[in-house]
Each structure stands twice: as structure tokens, then as C-alpha cells.
Amino acid sequence: MTLTNRQNEIIEAALKLMAEGGIRELTIKNLAGKLKITEPAIYRHFRNKSEIVRTMIRKFDDGVDVSKETCKGFDGIAAFIRSRIRQVSATPSLARVMFAEELFLDDPECSELLLALMHRHKETLETFFLEAQNSGEIRKDIPLRQLFRLVFGPVRLLVKQWGMSNQKFDLSAESEEMLSALRKILK
Amino acid sequence: MTLTNRQNEIIEAALKLMAEGGIRELTIKNLAGKLKITEPAIYRHFRNKSEIVRTMIRKFDDGVDVSKETCKGFDGIAAFIRSRIRQVSATPSLARVMFAEELFLDDPECSELLLALMHRHKETLETFFLEAQNSGEIRKDIPLRQLFRLVFGPVRLLVKQWGMSNQKFDLSAESEEMLSALRKILK
Amino acid sequence: MTLTNRQNEIIEAALKLMAEGGIRELTIKNLAGKLKITEPAIYRHFRNKSEIVRTMIRKFDDGVDVSKETCKGFDGIAAFIRSRIRQVSATPSLARVMFAEELFLDDPECSELLLALMHRHKETLETFFLEAQNSGEIRKDIPLRQLFRLVFGPVRLLVKQWGMSNQKFDLSAESEEMLSALRKILK
Amino acid sequence: MTLTNRQNEIIEAALKLMAEGGIRELTIKNLAGKLKITEPAIYRHFRNKSEIVRTMIRKFDDGVDVSKETCKGFDGIAAFIRSRIRQVSATPSLARVMFAEELFLDDPECSELLLALMHRHKETLETFFLEAQNSGEIRKDIPLRQLFRLVFGPVRLLVKQWGMSNQKFDLSAESEEMLSALRKILK
DNA sequence: TATGAATGAGGGTTCATTCAT
DNA sequence: CATGAATGAACCCTCATTCAT
């Protein structure tokens, strides 16, 4: 995904707007206002609003790179989670929208994209879970799809709490604590 | 919370609209259309749109009744979760909005209400967690706020998956499986 | 003009509403709210809103009774003015609307009524002016219609200032001072 | 105050609407209709309706230029009055709203603006009155605030009569007659 | 690459009024 | 004498988008 400078600026502004006042604040007018250009100018860089949102989603999905080669088992899972946490820490506005799939329910193209991304992640992660079960890092009496929920449910909630509390607590400390708790209880 | 018949009808219609097409579908016009009355008629029953949404939220919060007397410890937590699951099963549209606090970010009155409700629940639940730790149902080396996330993160994710998959799996079976998994791993 | 009790209550409430927040505050809804009845109930007492306003206007015109018999010349004029001032002092809300004919521009029936009343007053008053000129109380080198403006322009402005200042000064003192000034300068 | 062409056109149309049918006729819809554009187009030129009205008020206040340098005493007053009369003659629609402060009672921002302008005028004019008293043009036994009313009350009433009569008489002749009458009686 | 001006669709809301009860 | 429920018309305003320049 190669974006022009302007495109990156627009994505950045869009994210800020969403974080500040919810998805309703993300309008072409506000976007233009924030970038100090006029509304039609936006359309030089994106075909329409949906494309902006979709590009935003894709861009932040690119940020999570956990190649299945470098890590294995629970380490792979931890790497994935840490990658997400690092991303959210770097761009706190993300915390408010990253796991809010409902926000995009009314745009079919966005919904579809999100579903596809989620599916891809799930596949990657289930490989890790299997490895972890086989190596004895994780007990074997819990179905894979429950494992997925037991691990990523808490992560999502943590990020959401951090976003809704306006970053009042130390996200990375709290996430490390959570990871070690997960390691403990799943053994 | 005593609502008139019409008010209940309006709330019901509002929920359906949201579930069908996201919060953007929840407009006074659509609401009126669904009820086959005119838009101004809505305003005889609610002062404005925000009041409709807030009433909707309150109504479904009323549905979760877990008195601290009847249950204790992990049973209290399980009761709370089962109550939620039952509610969502009965009104599947709920699954798509119940844990989507972001949807209401742009309405300060709604946001505030949601925060208050979440706070109340957290307080109730932390009592249960403490009891469970003291009675030995739950290990003591995990901080309360992590416990909260470890339990309710997965529940939220489960409900969300069910909603986004259009109720493709058996929610109550899956939730029972999750509960027993939680019981196991937290001991 | 004989009004029922309820009608008088409605007129009174209407006047208060107008005084508090301008003519836009005078709505059937607000009227009903102030009287703690429902909107349709208003229509038991008046055929429509215009009739309410017209009745209001007529009622307060009835309050100014200056028979041409009891007074003559400048005394007649002074009596008329004092009568107005007394009325406004008794019902301060009046000050904000009494001379604001523009408020009713959009209701032809009201406009017409107002014009008729103004015409009647002018006729009465011109008789007084003529008498005053003939008796030497007022100089004769000023045309009647200018005299009318020179006397009632200031009175209107005085009342308006009193109303817009929220009755900050002593209206009757100020009006007496004005009357004596008028007597002086017109001789 | 520099306005774009379109802004001037809008203000002009707004004034016409008000003059034709009272303030209730001044709606965005009518405004758009008169200019043969759509309603949203209006909002490219003004932020909202209140801003239109306020600009209208300011624009016509700009028209009254009486520098304290060129005139002194009663001449200053006469200049101010003549300036107003000229303005109203040029734009007869103004006559119906220029002195109708009540029309804007329901818009706090307009009310405030009007009060500020009125205050500024009063200050300018009281300087003239003082000069006139000191130079012997106006008798000294009448308080300043009464003088203000005695002079501007009649002017306001004259303009209002002209407006409400649909310009049936010769405003400038009548105003000159009034000015000379005022000069006579105030000496 | 940007702008100024406009548009069609739709948003939430308030109005005076009516009607059956 | 009053109500509950509704209506049609109109209100102000914002949306994403387009087009000529």
C-alpha cells in the first residue's frame, strides 16, 4: 500500500476526527477544515469517503506484521498482541475505533473489508494456538475457537478501556500483566 | 422505568433499525416509517432522539437483574453472564449494539449514561470476584481489574461474533462452554 | 368585551410568554404548558391563535379610557399618556409589545386591528391638540400631524426603553418629567 | 465590513422578505427561492441564519456616518437624522424593521448586537446635545436623556408611519418639517 | 492540485390544528 | 371541559458529491 503524502495526511486527520468525536465527526467538511483545504480538494486524493475509511483500515492493518517464521506458539500470540498494543500506544486515537466494527456497519464495502481482515488474523492465530497446545504451553482441553475468545476478548476490552478513559493508565504495563496472567491460567 | 405502549413500540422499532443497518439507519424518519405514523408523532412520545436512544439503553439494562443476595462468588458472575446471554438470545438485534459503546460517542448524554451503567456493573461484579477469590473458586494471584477483563472480554467478543455472523452458531451452548472453560482456567 | 375566566387566564399567560421571550415564545404549546392544560384544550376557548392575539390587543386597548368630556386640551393628552403609562406600569410585560406593531406584520387580521386602533386614537388626540392650540396651550405654527409625532414619539420611545431595560428606571417619574418638558417646549 | 457579491445579494433579498411579510417571511427557504438557488447554497455564504440577520443589521448601521468632526451641536443631530432618512428613502424596506428591536428579541446574538449599536449612537448623540446646549441652540432646562427621547422618539415614529403606510407620504419633506419644528421648540 | 459555488437527499425538530374519546 | 394521538407544513441545517474554472 503506497500512499501519497497528501493521502497520508488525510488518513491521519480522519483518524483524529473519529477519535475526537465519534464517527459522526468524520465528515468531508471537517476533514477539509482540519487540513485547511477545501472539500472538493479531498476528492483529488480519494474517490469518495468510503475509500478514505477503507484505506485507513488497511493502513493500520499493515502495521501488524507477525510473520509465522520468526515466532512460534504462545510467543507468536504475544508478538501479535504486543504489535497491536505498540500500534495503539503510538496512535492513541486508534484505541477508540480499532475494535469498533459496528461503526462501519452502514458501509457494506467497509464491513466486508473488516470481516476479511478479521478472518485472516484468526487463521494466523489459530496456527499459533495449535503450536502452543502441541508444545504444552497451553492446556489441550479448551477448543480452539474458545481459546481465541479467551485471549483476544480481554485484549480488545483492555484497548477499549484505555481509549474510553482517555489513556489514563499505562497501557503497555497493563498489557504485559495481562499477557503473563494469560500465560499462567492457560497452562 | 414505566413506558407507555407506544413508547415500547418505538424502542422496539429503534432497536430493529439499528440492528439492520447500523446506527445511521436509526433516524426519526425511518422510525416513523416503520411504525406507520408521521415523524412529528414520535415527538409526542419522546422529547427527542437522544431520549429514545437513552431509554433504549436503560430498558435493556433493566433486563439484567442479578441481585447480590441470591448468588455468590463465581455463581454470581455466571448468573450475570447468563442473564446477558438470555437477553441477547431473545432479542438478537441487541447483539450488534450491546457492547458497541463507540456508537454513541457523539451523543454526550448517551455516552454519560453508558459510562454510568458500566461503572455500576463493574462494582457489582468486583464483589463477586472478591467472594470467589476468598472462597477459593478463583486463584488469588490475578489483580481484580485483570480478572474483570479476562472474564468479560471473552463474553463481549462472543456476543459480538454471534451478532456479526447473523446468529450462525448456538449462542447459549457456546457460552456454557466458555463459562466452564473460564471456571477451569481461573481456578 | 366579556371574557370567561379561562380566556382571561389564557390572555394573561400569552402576554407573559411574549414578554419573556419575544413573540416566538408565544406558541400554543407554551401557552398550554404555562396553564397546565393540553394544547387542544386551548381551542375550547379560542378559535385559533390569531384570535388569542387579537383579543389580547383589544383587551389592553380597552384599558385606555379617555372620554373627551372630562378633559380638554393638553390635559386630555396628558390623561391619555398617563393612562397608558399606568397600564404599562401595572403590566410591565406590555411594555415590550405595546408599540411593536411589526411583531404582528405577518398576521393580516392583527395588522388590520392594530391600524384601526391607532387610527381611532389619532382622531381622539387630534381633537385635543386642536383644543390646546386654540386655547393657547400649544403654539400654532406646528402642523397637527407633526404635533402628534412630537408628543407620542417620545412616549413610545420611553415605554420601549423601560421595557428593554427590564424596568430599570422609574417609569412614572420619568414620564411626568417628560410631560412637563413637552408642556414647556410646545407652548 | 467587506462582503462578497453573493453575500450582498443575500442580505438584500433578506431585507426585501422582511419588509414584505414580516420577520416570519425571512426563512432560508424563501431566501433561497428569491435568489433561485437551493437552501444549502445559502450556507456557503453565511454560517447560519442569525449571521445573516446580524450582517444585515451591521450593514445598515455602517450606512450612518456622522463623524463628530464635520458637524457640531444641532447640526450634528440633524446630520444624523438626515443620514437615517436618506438611507430609509433609498431602501424603503428598511423602514419596517429599522426601529423594530422587538423583532430580534428571540435571537440573543442579534439582541446583543442591537443593544451595542444603540448604545454607541446614544453616546455620539449626547455629545451633540451637550454642544447644542452650550452654544445656546437648545434650552438647558431639559435633561439629556429626555432630550434624546424628545428628538428621536418623533423620528422613529415618523419612519415607522412611513413604512406602515407603504410610503404614502413624502418622507424627506416631512422629516425636514419635523427638523425645523424640533429646532424651534427646543430653543 | 486546488477552489468557489452549487446541488439533491436527508437530518432533527416545532408549528398550529384536528379528531375521536 | 379536557385529553391522547396524530397530522401536514414548514423550519434550520448538514451530508457527500459534482462541476466549471
Coordinates of all heavy atoms in Angstrom, one line a residue, chain C residues 18-22 85 88-89 91-100 154-172 174, chain D residues 101-102 105 111 115 118 149:
Chain C
M18 N -44.9 36.3 25.7 CA -44.3 37.3 24.7 C -43.3 38.2 25.4 O -42.2 38.5 24.8 CB -45.4 38.2 24.2 CG -46.3 37.6 23.1 SD -47.2 38.8 22.3 CE -45.9 39.6 21.3
A19 N -43.6 38.6 26.6 CA -42.7 39.5 27.3 C -41.4 38.8 27.6 O -40.3 39.3 27.6 CB -43.3 40.0 28.6
E20 N -41.5 37.5 28.0 CA -40.3 36.8 28.4 C -39.4 36.5 27.3 O -38.2 36.7 27.4 CB -40.7 35.5 29.1 CG -41.3 35.6 30.5 CD -42.0 34.4 31.0 OE1 -41.9 33.3 30.4 OE2 -42.7 34.5 32.0
G21 N -39.9 36.0 26.2 CA -39.0 35.6 25.1 C -39.3 36.0 23.7 O -39.0 35.3 22.8
G22 N -40.0 37.1 23.6 CA -40.4 37.5 22.3 C -41.5 36.8 21.7 O -42.0 35.8 22.3
I85 N -49.3 54.9 30.6 CA -48.2 54.7 31.5 C -48.7 53.8 32.7 O -48.0 52.9 33.1 CB -47.6 56.0 32.0 CG1 -47.0 56.8 30.8 CG2 -46.5 55.8 33.1 CD1 -45.7 56.2 30.3
V88 N -49.1 50.3 31.5 CA -47.8 49.6 31.4 C -47.1 49.3 32.7 O -46.5 48.2 32.9 CB -46.9 50.4 30.5 CG1 -45.4 49.9 30.5 CG2 -47.4 50.4 29.0
S89 N -47.2 50.3 33.6 CA -46.6 50.1 35.0 C -47.3 48.9 35.6 O -46.6 48.1 36.3 CB -46.9 51.3 35.8 OG -46.2 52.4 35.3
T91 N -48.7 46.3 34.2 CA -48.4 45.1 33.5 C -47.1 45.2 32.7 O -47.2 45.4 31.4 CB -49.6 44.7 32.5 OG1 -50.8 44.9 33.2 CG2 -49.5 43.3 32.1
P92 N -46.0 45.2 33.3 CA -44.7 45.5 32.6 C -44.5 44.7 31.4 O -43.9 45.2 30.4 CB -43.7 45.2 33.7 CG -44.4 45.3 35.0 CD -45.8 44.8 34.7
S93 N -45.0 43.5 31.3 CA -44.8 42.7 30.1 C -45.3 43.5 28.9 O -44.8 43.4 27.8 CB -45.6 41.4 30.2 OG -45.8 41.0 31.5
L94 N -46.3 44.3 29.1 CA -46.9 45.1 28.0 C -45.9 46.0 27.3 O -45.9 46.2 26.1 CB -48.0 46.0 28.5 CG -49.4 45.5 28.3 CD1 -50.4 46.5 28.9 CD2 -49.7 45.2 26.9
A95 N -44.9 46.5 28.1 CA -44.0 47.5 27.6 C -43.3 47.0 26.4 O -42.9 47.7 25.5 CB -43.0 47.9 28.6
R96 N -43.1 45.7 26.3 CA -42.3 45.1 25.3 C -43.0 44.8 24.0 O -42.4 44.5 23.0 CB -41.7 43.7 25.7 CG -40.5 43.9 26.7 CD -39.6 42.8 26.5 NE -38.4 42.9 27.3 CZ -37.7 41.9 27.7 NH1 -38.1 40.6 27.4 NH2 -36.6 42.1 28.4
V97 N -44.4 45.0 24.1 CA -45.1 44.7 22.8 C -46.1 45.8 22.4 O -46.5 45.8 21.3 CB -45.9 43.4 23.0 CG1 -45.0 42.2 23.2 CG2 -46.9 43.5 24.2
M98 N -46.4 46.7 23.4 CA -47.4 47.6 23.2 C -47.2 48.4 21.9 O -48.1 48.7 21.1 CB -47.5 48.6 24.4 CG -48.6 49.6 24.2 SD -48.9 50.4 25.7 CE -50.2 49.4 26.4
F99 N -46.0 48.8 21.6 CA -45.7 49.7 20.5 C -44.9 48.9 19.4 O -44.2 49.6 18.6 CB -45.0 51.0 20.9 CG -45.9 51.8 21.8 CD1 -45.3 52.3 23.0 CD2 -47.2 52.1 21.5 CE1 -46.1 53.1 23.8 CE2 -48.0 52.8 22.4 CZ -47.4 53.3 23.5
A100 N -45.0 47.6 19.4 CA -44.2 46.9 18.5 C -45.1 46.3 17.4 O -45.3 45.1 17.2 CB -43.5 45.8 19.2
P154 N -41.9 60.5 21.6 CA -41.2 60.3 22.8 C -41.8 59.4 23.8 O -41.1 58.6 24.5 CB -41.2 61.8 23.4 CG -41.2 62.6 22.1 CD -42.1 61.9 21.2
V155 N -43.1 59.4 23.9 CA -43.8 58.5 24.8 C -43.5 57.0 24.5 O -43.2 56.2 25.3 CB -45.3 58.7 24.9 CG1 -46.0 57.7 25.7 CG2 -45.6 60.1 25.4
R156 N -43.7 56.7 23.2 CA -43.4 55.4 22.7 C -41.9 55.0 23.0 O -41.7 53.9 23.5 CB -43.6 55.3 21.2 CG -45.1 55.4 20.8 CD -45.1 55.5 19.3 NE -44.9 54.2 18.6 CZ -45.8 53.5 18.0 NH1 -47.1 54.0 17.9 NH2 -45.5 52.4 17.5
L157 N -41.0 55.9 22.7 CA -39.6 55.5 23.0 C -39.4 55.3 24.5 O -38.6 54.4 24.8 CB -38.7 56.6 22.4 CG -37.2 56.4 22.5 CD1 -36.8 55.1 22.0 CD2 -36.5 57.5 21.8
L158 N -40.0 56.1 25.3 CA -39.8 56.0 26.7 C -40.3 54.6 27.2 O -39.6 53.9 27.9 CB -40.6 57.1 27.5 CG -40.7 57.0 29.0 CD1 -39.3 57.1 29.6 CD2 -41.6 58.0 29.6
V159 N -41.5 54.2 26.8 CA -42.0 52.9 27.2 C -41.1 51.8 26.7 O -40.8 50.8 27.4 CB -43.4 52.8 26.6 CG1 -43.9 51.3 26.8 CG2 -44.4 53.7 27.3
K160 N -40.7 51.9 25.4 CA -39.8 50.9 24.9 C -38.5 50.8 25.7 O -38.0 49.7 26.0 CB -39.5 51.2 23.4 CG -38.7 50.2 22.7 CD -38.6 50.6 21.2 CE -38.8 49.3 20.4 NZ -39.0 49.7 19.0
Q161 N -37.9 51.9 26.0 CA -36.7 51.9 26.8 C -36.9 51.2 28.1 O -36.1 50.4 28.6 CB -36.1 53.3 27.0 CG -35.5 53.9 25.7 CD -35.1 55.3 26.0 OE1 -35.6 56.1 26.8 NE2 -34.0 55.7 25.3
W162 N -38.0 51.5 28.7 CA -38.3 50.9 30.0 C -38.4 49.4 29.9 O -37.9 48.6 30.7 CB -39.6 51.5 30.5 CG -39.9 51.2 32.0 CD1 -39.3 51.6 33.1 CD2 -41.0 50.4 32.4 NE1 -39.9 51.1 34.2 CE2 -40.9 50.4 33.8 CE3 -42.1 49.7 31.8 CZ2 -41.9 49.7 34.6 CZ3 -43.0 49.0 32.6 CH2 -42.9 49.0 34.0
G163 N -39.1 49.0 28.8 CA -39.3 47.5 28.6 C -38.0 46.8 28.3 O -37.7 45.8 28.9
M164 N -37.2 47.4 27.4 CA -36.0 46.8 27.1 C -34.9 46.8 28.1 O -34.0 46.0 28.1 CB -35.4 47.4 25.8 CG -36.3 47.1 24.6 SD -35.6 47.6 23.0 CE -34.2 46.5 22.9
S165 N -35.1 47.7 29.1 CA -34.1 47.8 30.2 C -34.6 47.0 31.4 O -34.0 47.0 32.4 CB -33.9 49.3 30.6 OG -35.0 49.6 31.4
N166 N -35.6 46.2 31.2 CA -36.2 45.4 32.3 C -36.6 46.3 33.4 O -36.3 46.0 34.6 CB -35.2 44.3 32.7 CG -35.2 43.2 31.7 OD1 -36.2 42.7 31.3 ND2 -33.9 42.8 31.3
Q167 N -37.3 47.3 33.1 CA -37.8 48.2 34.1 C -36.8 48.7 35.1 O -37.1 48.8 36.3 CB -38.9 47.5 34.9 CG -40.1 47.0 34.1 CD -39.9 45.7 33.5 OE1 -39.4 44.8 34.1 NE2 -40.3 45.5 32.2
K168 N -35.7 49.2 34.6 CA -34.6 49.6 35.5 C -34.8 51.0 36.0 O -34.2 51.3 37.0 CB -33.3 49.5 34.7 CG -32.3 48.5 35.5 CD -31.0 48.5 34.7 CE -30.8 47.1 34.1 NZ -29.9 47.1 33.0
F169 N -35.7 51.8 35.4 CA -35.9 53.1 35.9 C -37.3 53.4 36.3 O -38.2 52.5 36.1 CB -35.4 54.2 35.0 CG -36.0 54.2 33.6 CD1 -37.2 54.8 33.4 CD2 -35.3 53.5 32.5 CE1 -37.8 54.8 32.1 CE2 -35.9 53.5 31.3 CZ -37.1 54.1 31.0
D170 N -37.5 54.5 37.0 CA -38.9 54.8 37.5 C -39.7 55.4 36.4 O -39.6 56.6 36.0 CB -38.8 55.8 38.6 CG -40.1 56.1 39.3 OD1 -41.1 55.9 38.6 OD2 -40.1 56.6 40.4
L171 N -40.6 54.5 35.8 CA -41.3 55.0 34.6 C -42.2 56.1 34.8 O -42.2 57.1 34.0 CB -42.1 53.8 34.0 CG -43.0 54.1 32.8 CD1 -42.2 54.6 31.7 CD2 -43.8 52.9 32.4
S172 N -42.9 56.2 36.0 CA -43.9 57.2 36.1 C -43.2 58.5 36.4 O -43.6 59.6 35.9 CB -44.9 56.9 37.2 OG -44.4 57.2 38.5
E174 N -40.2 59.4 35.3 CA -39.7 59.8 34.0 C -40.7 60.3 33.1 O -40.5 61.3 32.3 CB -38.9 58.6 33.4 CG -37.8 59.0 32.5 CD -36.4 59.0 33.3 OE1 -36.5 59.0 34.6 OE2 -35.4 59.1 32.7
Chain D
E101 N -36.8 46.7 17.3 CA -35.9 45.9 18.0 C -36.5 44.6 18.5 O -35.9 43.6 18.7 CB -35.3 46.6 19.2 CG -34.3 47.8 18.8 CD -35.1 49.0 18.5 OE1 -36.3 49.1 18.6 OE2 -34.4 50.0 18.1
E102 N -37.8 44.7 18.7 CA -38.6 43.5 19.3 C -38.5 42.3 18.4 O -38.6 41.2 18.8 CB -40.0 43.9 19.5 CG -40.3 45.0 20.5 CD -40.2 46.4 19.7 OE1 -39.8 46.4 18.5 OE2 -40.6 47.4 20.3
L105 N -35.9 39.9 19.4 CA -35.8 39.5 20.8 C -35.5 38.0 21.0 O -34.9 37.7 22.0 CB -37.2 39.8 21.5 CG -37.3 41.0 22.4 CD1 -38.6 41.1 23.0 CD2 -36.2 40.9 23.5
S111 N -30.0 40.5 19.5 CA -30.4 41.4 20.6 C -29.2 42.2 21.1 O -29.2 43.4 21.2 CB -31.1 40.7 21.7 OG -32.4 40.4 21.4
L115 N -28.3 46.2 20.9 CA -28.1 47.0 22.1 C -26.8 47.7 22.0 O -26.7 48.9 22.3 CB -28.1 46.1 23.3 CG -29.5 45.8 23.9 CD1 -29.4 44.8 25.1 CD2 -30.2 47.1 24.3
M118 N -27.2 50.6 19.6 CA -28.0 51.7 20.1 C -27.1 52.5 21.1 O -27.2 53.7 21.2 CB -29.2 51.1 20.8 CG -30.3 50.7 19.8 SD -31.6 49.8 20.6 CE -32.4 51.1 21.6
R149 N -35.0 61.4 23.9 CA -36.3 60.9 23.6 C -37.1 61.9 22.8 O -37.8 61.5 21.9 CB -37.1 60.6 24.9 CG -36.5 59.3 25.6 CD -37.1 59.2 27.0 NE -36.4 58.2 27.8 CZ -36.2 58.3 29.1 NH1 -36.6 59.4 29.7 NH2 -35.4 57.4 29.7

